Amino acid sequence: MSDDDDFMQASDDENYDFEYEDDDDADEGGDVDVENKYYNAKQMKADNPEEAIDEFLGVPALEPEKGDWGFKGLKQAIKLEFKLGRYDKAVEHYSELLTYVKSAVTRNYSEKSINNMLDFIEKNAEDEAANECMEKFYSKTLESVQTTNNERLWLSTNTKLARLWLLQKDYARLTDKVRELHKACQREDGSDDPSKGTYSMEAYALEIQMYAETRNNKRLKGLYNRAISVRSAVPHPKIMGIIRECGGKMYMSEENWKDAQSAFFESFRNYDEAGSMQRIQVLKYLVLTTMLMGSDINPFDSQETKPYKNDPRIAAMTELVDAYQRDEIGQYETVLKKNQDLLADPFIAENIDEVTRNMRTKAVVKLVAPYTRFRLDFIAKRLSISIAEVQDIVGFLIMDRRLRGKINQDAGTVEIESRADQDRMHAVADWTTAIRSLASYVLNEGEGFKSDDAGVGPGGAAPLTSAPDILLSSQRTTNAAGKRKANRGPGK
């Protein structure tokens, strides 16, 4: 929260009437004392926060009635107490701060101040105790909202509470809270309320993240398609960045590289527009997807991603995609070994193995192309991988018919069949199939063999010849020719 909030004043509280009364000087003097105490406390914040807290807490006591300066003093004290880990005191004084909301300050000013306070608590919560304190802040706020009937503050606070439960992986309570938020963002007839579209999209984003974390792709896909089809709301670009990122991961799990690439690109654009640092991580996912697609298009050629091509945070991924597209397995392996921090992201670690496998498969195909016979240990040595992995890759290539050969596991060799041998074997197989078909016809459909004097056909014509007769005649001709060729001596 910025200190600029301390200078916000509502115009409807300003009074320009002149009144001449004797105690004006006393009131002005009191206000000056309160103001001086507040600004003196602010000067002590950096060097002596403990004393600054005491000074800030002393400001409300100087006001005869609850007013702006007491509200400001409590805000500053609560922030310092939270940063110093005094969570119980922070909750106690926050409860006191909420009593100012009803009458001491304007509705808009109090709403903005409380939202800023809750954002400050959310950003600075670093341990479990801080998270427990944050949940108490949300609970106190929701209790206060019930009396003030501030629907916007109720929606924003419940959204923050749902984010906390997502962080804590409390999916049971999160599910109920998201359902409650969706219902609050609908009209009485069940249709979406356009005036609450932003809160509705945040509820979608929370639910989508929950399904992404629990790997419930069936529910995730339906919700994702529903969320990106909403046209009645103009959500914050960061919300759309979250939704698109989860969609990209969903498509990756389905090995739908094309849709994953599109989703990650849209996510990057949204994060970039919002100024979120998550854009760097999503850009890495985009590069990873490009490699899995086997695309020759450089992901940094687009107008949106080009400025990040030489970013040091992206350098490793840039080198990887360059080596991948040039089929330089050695360069690829070197870059990966030098940048093990890439694997710190579980999503990249889970999918980079598939890219590496593709690189090694292409390297094996390229390496064995000139050979008709090779040893598995030869390939393993050239690619610096295990013999078992080489055998696995070669086996995959044979099953995929990208390599025609046989693995001799005992000898550790692979015999590659030549193209001529393959054509000859196919011809023999076709000829065998034809002979079997003909033989089957003879045995199952033929009427047997007939003698030469069986008679003549109608009208003195030669007798009709059946399929078996043709086969027998063909065999006789072949045998006779064979005998004549065998009896023929050299030079005759």
Side-chain angles (χ1 to χ4, degrees):
M1 180 180 70
S2 66
D3 290 336
D4 294 336
D5 295 343
D6 297 331
F7 298 97
M8 293 178 59
Q9 297 290 335
S11 59
D12 56 346
D13 286 345
E14 293 176 352
N15 190 344
Y16 297 99
D17 293 337
F18 292 95
E19 295 183 9
Y20 301 93
E21 294 187 6
D22 294 338
D23 54 357
D24 273 356
D25 292 339
D27 290 342
E28 185 177 351
D31 289 342
V32 169
D33 291 339
V34 173
E35 186 175 351
N36 287 339
K37 191 173 185 66
Y38 174 79
Y39 285 112
N40 285 336
K42 286 191 70 173
Q43 292 178 353
M44 301 167 62
K45 281 172 59 177
D47 299 330
N48 198 341
E50 290 85 359
E51 289 189 16
I53 290 173
D54 293 336
E55 285 292 303
F56 281 127
L57 292 177
V59 171
L62 295 178
E63 288 187 313
E65 295 181 356
K66 291 180 179 179
D68 286 345
W69 291 110
F71 187 75
K72 296 174 184 177
L74 284 171
K75 283 195 303 180
Q76 297 291 342
I78 292 166
K79 289 193 295 182
L80 287 175
E81 286 173 334
F82 189 85
K83 291 183 73 173
L84 294 176
R86 301 178 182 179
Y87 300 128
D88 291 338
K89 287 294 184 182
V91 172
E92 177 186 337
H93 293 131
Y94 184 70
S95 299
E96 183 180 350
L97 178 76
L98 291 173
T99 62
Y100 282 69
V101 172
K102 297 178 182 179
S103 58
V105 291
T106 63
R107 181 187 178 96
N108 288 338
Y109 177 39
S110 64
E111 180 183 333
K112 181 175 181 179
S113 297
I114 290 172
N115 269 321
N116 288 341
M117 173 70 72
L118 296 179
D119 288 339
F120 173 85
I121 298 298
E122 184 178 7
K123 291 176 182 177
N124 288 275
E126 298 178 350
D127 52 32
E128 189 60 33
N131 287 337
E132 290 178 5
C133 176
M134 180 163 45
E135 190 166 351
K136 291 178 182 178
F137 269 66
Y138 295 149
S139 178
K140 295 285 185 183
T141 305
L142 292 173
E143 290 175 6
S144 174
V145 167
Q146 288 180 354
T147 60
T148 58
N149 197 27
N150 190 327
E151 190 175 24
R152 284 185 307 181
L153 186 56
W154 183 91
L155 285 167
S156 64
T157 304
N158 271 303
T159 301
K160 290 179 173 67
L161 182 57
R163 275 204 300 266
L164 174 61
W165 287 341
L166 177 66
L167 180 66
Q168 295 176 339
K169 302 188 185 303
D170 190 345
Y171 300 128
R173 288 200 290 176
L174 175 60
T175 301
D176 293 338
K177 184 58 67 176
V178 167
R179 190 179 295 117
E180 185 181 2
L181 284 168
H182 278 308
K183 187 174 181 180
C185 294
Q186 293 177 343
R187 294 171 172 156
E188 292 182 0
D189 60 358
S191 61
D192 291 335
D193 187 346
S195 66
K196 301 172 185 174
T198 300
Y199 297 108
S200 179
M201 291 302 293
E202 286 195 62
Y204 275 125
L206 289 166
E207 197 171 3
I208 285 172
Q209 288 178 88
M210 177 181 69
Y211 289 137
E213 290 181 6
T214 56
R215 303 294 182 98
N216 189 343
N217 275 12
K218 184 177 180 181
R219 298 292 298 274
L220 172 59
K221 195 164 191 174
L223 197 64
Y224 173 76
N225 290 330
R226 197 187 317 160
I228 63 175
S229 64
V230 172
R231 296 291 179 268
S232 60
V234 184
H236 192 280
K238 184 177 180 180
I239 299 301
M240 289 308 301
I242 292 171
I243 292 173
R244 291 286 190 176
E245 179 185 350
C246 291
K249 291 180 177 179
M250 173 192 69
Y251 287 128
M252 286 283 278
S253 68
E254 298 175 350
E255 298 188 2
N256 184 348
W257 314 129
K258 183 178 179 181
D259 287 343
Q261 184 190 44
S262 175
F264 283 138
F265 182 73
E266 291 299 323
S267 176
F268 168 78
R269 287 179 60 250
N270 289 132
Y271 280 134
D272 195 34
E273 182 182 349
S276 171
M277 294 304 296
Q278 185 63 14
R279 65 178 179 266
I280 299 298
Q281 205 63 21
V282 170
L283 185 54
K284 293 179 182 179
Y285 300 160
L286 178 61
V287 174
L288 178 65
T289 311
T290 302
M291 290 189 286
L292 285 169
M293 285 180 66
S295 174
D296 293 331
I297 300 174
N298 193 315
F300 293 100
D301 286 345
S302 71
Q303 182 178 356
E304 292 85 355
T305 58
K306 189 175 290 184
Y308 295 91
K309 184 174 183 178
N310 298 319
D311 192 306
R313 296 166 293 180
I314 304 293
M317 295 300 290
T318 306
E319 293 175 10
L320 276 181
V321 74
D322 181 60
Y324 185 88
Q325 292 180 337
R326 290 187 293 108
D327 289 340
E328 293 286 348
I329 181 65
Q331 179 66 16
Y332 175 89
E333 298 277 7
T334 300
V335 173
L336 201 56
K337 287 178 181 177
K338 284 171 56 179
N339 298 274
Q340 287 295 305
D341 56 309
L342 284 174
L343 305 182
D345 186 309
F347 182 74
I348 292 180
E350 180 181 346
N351 289 278
I352 198 69
D353 287 343
E354 183 71 21
V355 179
T356 304
R357 168 86 174 195
N358 291 345
M359 280 294 291
R360 289 172 178 173
T361 300
K362 290 194 292 183
V364 169
V365 172
K366 186 176 179 180
L367 192 57
V368 306
Y371 301 102
T372 58
R373 184 176 182 274
F374 60 87
R375 295 184 60 84
L376 295 174
D377 57 358
F378 163 74
I379 303 297
K381 185 176 181 180
R382 290 290 298 271
L383 299 182
S384 301
I385 58 178
S386 67
I387 295 176
E389 186 171 357
V390 173
Q391 182 173 317
D392 187 44
I393 292 174
V394 172
F396 166 75
L397 290 170
I398 292 173
M399 293 295 294
D400 200 39
R401 296 187 176 182
R402 292 165 62 186
L403 195 67
R404 296 185 179 274
K406 295 179 181 179
I407 301 175
N408 186 333
Q409 290 182 318
D410 294 333
T413 60
V414 178
E415 296 281 350
I416 302 297
E417 299 175 357
S418 68
R419 189 69 193 174
D421 290 340
Q422 295 171 27
D423 293 341
R424 189 179 301 111
M425 291 300 295
H426 284 310
V428 170
D430 293 341
W431 181 74
T432 302
T433 302
I435 292 297
R436 285 177 178 170
S437 177
L438 187 57
S440 175
Y441 179 82
V442 169
L443 295 174
N444 298 326
E445 304 292 338
E447 297 178 359
F449 302 104
K450 296 182 180 181
S451 60
D452 293 339
D453 56 352
V456 294
L464 296 174
T465 305
S466 64
D469 296 330
I470 295 174
L471 176 61
L472 183 59
S473 175
S474 174
Q475 289 175 337
R476 286 173 179 167
T477 303
T478 304
N479 291 340
K483 289 178 181 179
R484 285 196 295 273
K485 186 175 182 180
N487 292 334
R488 189 176 298 172
K492 293 184 179 181

